[in-house]
Amino acid sequence: MKPYRGIFSILLWLAFSVGSHAQRMAIIADPHIQDVEGHPELVRTWESQARSTRLFNENYFAFRAVLDDVARRGIRLVILPGDLTDNGQQTACQAVTRILHGYERRYGMRFFMTTGNHDPNYPVGMPWGQKDFMGKDGRPRVIYSDSCQFFLANKPHEILTPDTVVPSLRCLGYDELTDEWCDFGFQPRQDFLHWERPVNTSPYPDASYLAEPIAGLWLLAIDGSVHTPKAGSGERGARSGNGNQDRSDPTMWNGSWPGYNNVMQHKPFLVDWVKDVAARAKRQGKRLVAFCHYPLVDFNRGATDIVREAWGEKAFDLTRVPRPEVAQAFLDAGLRLHISGHMHLNNTARFHAGDASLIDVQVPSIAGCMPAYKILTLLNDSIYDFQTVLVDSVPGFDTFFGRYTLRGDAGPADALSEIVSGEVRDYPAFCQRWFASLVANRYVQQDLPPALQEMLPQIGGTYPDASSPSGTAVWTGLDLVTDLYRLRFAGQTALADIPQARLQAYELFFSGSEERGAGSDVIAPLAAVFRCMLNALPTDHFRVNVRTGQLCQ
């Protein structure tokens, strides 16, 4: 275990731990950073992030910009619900440590993490590498953390001779990662008034903890990651390493992306511990803030059954939707408010049973569609206020634009031409243009049924637009689907970029299709899902009563 660093940080923290700062905290989710500043050879090609669900390069600068904004606002508590790095690479984890310690020293800030499905990538350390790092000439380069023995043994069809070997590119396992980040909640500190972790009765590692950094405030970090053994390994192998494979072999483990759905079966002790913590918090008058990387409530805003029936089991991330019994278990345990990330959604979800509710507040990724973080203000013992803050100023976000133009790969160039031409002037606009390309080149094929994909070019119309010389603007089927995904990922924030007249045109199209009956089996589900995304719970500024689990404006 690494020792606590710096008595000066303790003194600075104590100076800020009283007054209004004590009841505000920032929540920054899924930065997915790679150390592109300390290791410029690890910049990824435009092609690689043009089809990725998150950015790889610009988000490094966004992370620092968000921390600067948090510091300017005088906020000293920061919650980081997982996926700080893209795959738990040693160099990226060390960069996170270096960055956060800098803000600790300068501003007295305190950071509280939990694990994500990207950090750790697997429960044990492993070699890692990719074939799409960007050379100075813009062309792809192959970089591994070693001589590619892992890939030779497990992915021989993907193996290429590395252009460069960067040993610190290896991925850290649980023990290494929580040791590297021991100052950020995973271990007790001298300035904590209370710290505990649950008794782990499962065969799986767990990094959950409860910390009291300020008198009366309990931060409950729930480790929802469960890396189950692959077929043939079994629970016995997970516990003792005496199964069919060695426990230290990363190839024996599945990813942890299912989150809470696996917790119920494989780490049920967490439910009992949360129940005990919630009861003690109530008895002792503590303000409880629970967070995890994974959402606890269905995040599809009432569209899950529609999507499953019309588009299939894998569309709209249905495999990651928490089952109702998961939310019920934690509601019964006394939890009324839960904060999460993982899906990169700006979303508020509610699970209601009897006379009680559980609210899950999802924080969007700063490496995603609408880059933003949230500020949580504890107004009193019952009312918690959430405000979404757009990341609109990111110095250095265009650092690699010049190298993108030199690229030798063949990827979606439509967004790139606009980005490097100067039409994109800020980070949100960059993310929006990248995301529109992502919808066209990934989500349409991944989520929509073939019949709808074939119909999209035939869908379209016009709507009033005072800024147009003709007084009207044209919308297409792809525009409609892109706006659907904007609403899904950005919530109410997306409405600033979707003209109300265009939304009305979409509704006229949906209603007309229903009346004519033409293609209704294809259009009706699209209309239903769109309406679910549009008519959702508030996401940008709202309050939660943590005693009742009710939303209040």
Side-chain angles (χ1 to χ4, degrees), residues 507-553:
E507 183 55 38
L508 287 174
F509 166 71
F510 292 146
S511 301
S513 298
E514 291 166 355
E515 292 174 3
R516 293 190 302 270
S520 60
D521 58 331
V522 177
I523 299 301
L526 174 63
V529 173
F530 196 99
R531 288 163 179 159
C532 286
M533 296 300 113
L534 184 60
N535 301 310
L537 295 174
T539 60
D540 284 5
H541 193 187
F542 56 94
R543 293 174 179 177
V544 177
N545 186 320
V546 297
R547 302 299 185 193
T548 65
Q550 297 299 311
L551 281 171
C552 47
Q553 296 282 8

Side-chain angles (χ1 to χ4, degrees), residues 54-245:
R54 70 270 183 196
L55 295 169
F56 294 128
N57 302 326
E58 290 73 21
N59 41 311
Y60 175 88
F61 303 101
F63 187 47
R64 302 192 77 121
V66 169
L67 292 173
D68 286 341
D69 189 61
V70 170
R72 280 194 296 270
R73 294 172 186 267
I75 298 172
R76 300 297 177 246
L77 281 174
V78 181
I79 291 174
L80 301 166
D83 282 3
L84 273 293
T85 68
D86 199 49
N87 275 306
Q89 301 94 335
Q90 181 180 11
T91 180
C93 292
Q94 291 172 342
V96 168
T97 302
R98 184 172 63 250
I99 291 169
L100 299 188
H101 277 154
Y103 284 87
E104 280 189 339
R105 290 190 298 270
R106 291 194 297 277
Y107 304 108
M109 295 165 73
R110 281 289 176 269
F111 300 95
F112 296 86
M113 297 179 174
T114 187
T115 58
N117 61 305
H118 282 262
D119 42 25
N121 199 25
Y122 289 99
V124 295
M126 60 176 285
W128 190 80
Q130 288 287 358
K131 56 184 178 181
D132 57 9
F133 293 102
M134 184 170 62
K136 293 181 179 180
D137 58 358
R139 295 181 177 276
R141 300 176 73 244
V142 181
I143 303 179
Y144 293 142
S145 61
D146 62 5
S147 57
C148 58
Q149 294 302 312
F150 172 77
F151 291 86
L152 280 171
N154 301 287
K155 298 183 178 181
H157 60 287
E158 296 183 14
I159 197 65
L160 293 169
T161 302
D163 296 299
T164 304
V165 171
V166 179
S168 61
L169 199 57
R170 65 180 295 275
C171 298
L172 302 184
Y174 252 91
D175 292 342
E176 297 169 293
L177 185 137
T178 54
D179 186 47
E180 173 64 35
W181 289 341
C182 63
D183 288 343
F184 311 127
F186 290 123
Q187 296 292 340
R189 293 173 57 139
Q190 297 176 30
D191 51 339
F192 289 171
L193 301 176
H194 177 77
W195 187 93
E196 67 178 74
R197 64 171 35 144
V199 176
N200 186 352
T201 58
S202 80
Y204 301 97
D206 183 77
S208 301
Y209 62 87
L210 173 67
E212 185 174 12
I214 298 170
L217 174 64
W218 277 9
L219 300 181
L220 177 60
I222 304 172
D223 180 2
S225 293
V226 182
H227 296 86
T228 57
K230 292 181 179 178
S233 301
E235 295 270 350
R236 182 164 163 259
R239 181 180 295 277
S240 64
N242 293 323
N244 296 337
Q245 285 182 275

Side-chain angles (χ1 to χ4, degrees), residues 471-484:
T472 61
V474 175
W475 67 269
T476 67
L478 183 58
D479 290 331
L480 190 159
V481 171
T482 301
D483 286 342
L484 167 66

Side-chain angles (χ1 to χ4, degrees), residues 28-46:
I28 306 169
D30 298 86
H32 284 281
I33 74 163
Q34 182 59 271
D35 187 14
V36 296
E37 192 171 55
H39 286 269
E41 72 274 16
L42 300 183
V43 173
R44 305 283 282 277
T45 64
W46 172 254

Side-chain angles (χ1 to χ4, degrees), residues 449-472:
L452 181 53
Q453 293 183 42
E454 293 172 7
M455 190 177 290
L456 281 184
Q458 306 167 32
I459 297 174
T462 62
Y463 61 92
D465 182 2
S467 65
S468 170
S470 65
T472 61

